Amino acid sequence: MCNQAVGLVAAELERQGIATVAIQLLREVALAVRPPRALFVPFAHGFPLDRPGEPERQHAVLEAALGMLESSETGAPVLLDFEPSD
Amino acid sequence: MGQMSEFSVSVRLFLKAYRWRRIDPVPFTRPSKPLSQARLALVSSAGFVLPDQERFDESLRGGDPSFRFIPSDTDGSILIDTHRSESFDHTAMRRDTELAFPLQRVRELVESGVVGSVAMRHLSFMGSITAPGRLVKNTAPEAVRALVDDQVDVALLVPV
């Protein structure tokens, strides 16, 4: 349910003028709820930023997500897949 | 979806039958300034609270739609996990709160110049909300108004 909750809050943020990007752990929920910008990550629930205690891997997810805010993509919603470098 | 396989059969059946709240139309705001000049707020649904804050209410049937403000200079190690869901493993995010509420990671992004600044406060929700009407109509608008007042430009949302 977290994926839906953050999607709904993201929509409200956008309605009030704050641009957003939401991490999503379940692709089908991202497709059903449609947060404005979503980065789909292939990690288990409880691990949205990849691994505990590994700042570099967490930064990789964050920078991919924030990079979506600088995209000139015009069609909302935008869904991007994160590919970890393993 | 491979990841549905993480859950028990009963949770999977629930998720398949659940009527997801579709966002339509999809609101879309372009950032008004480059990321390197923008003020960033975090929104986490991990159910974290500060030691002196009330826990999220795990007894509310449709989920607790309330939120907590978490000051941006908070040491993440003091955060308490009060997320009620037993559908996922909480261990990792308790050990490293950065995994679900990256307070220090975003400070590092400011230091490295990727992000302009962090907001004065971030938002913590508990994402186990099966009846999101009150979230959508009441608590999300209220929470967002605070971030607007704080002159936040962009927000990163992290579910667990």
Side-chain angles (χ1 to χ4, degrees), chain A residues 12-61:
Chain A
E12 182 61 32
L13 283 154
E14 299 266 351
R15 281 191 282 270
Q16 294 197 45
I18 296 175
T20 65
V21 54
I23 305 291
Q24 291 281 282
L25 292 155
L26 282 174
R27 192 183 187 88
E28 54 193 78
V29 176
L31 292 171
V33 174
R34 308 195 318 159
R37 293 177 198 79
L39 182 75
F40 172 67
V41 298
F43 310 128
H45 283 69
F47 297 79
L49 298 184
D50 198 348
R51 292 184 195 169
E54 296 201 28
E56 278 182 22
R57 296 187 72 96
Q58 294 169 3
H59 271 296
V61 182

Side-chain angles (χ1 to χ4, degrees), chain A residues 8, chain B residues 21 62 65 129-139 141:
Chain A
L8 296 172
Chain B
R21 182 74 71 102
I129 301 174
T130 50
R134 279 192 296 153
L135 172 72
V136 170
K137 292 177 188 143
N138 301 111
T139 58

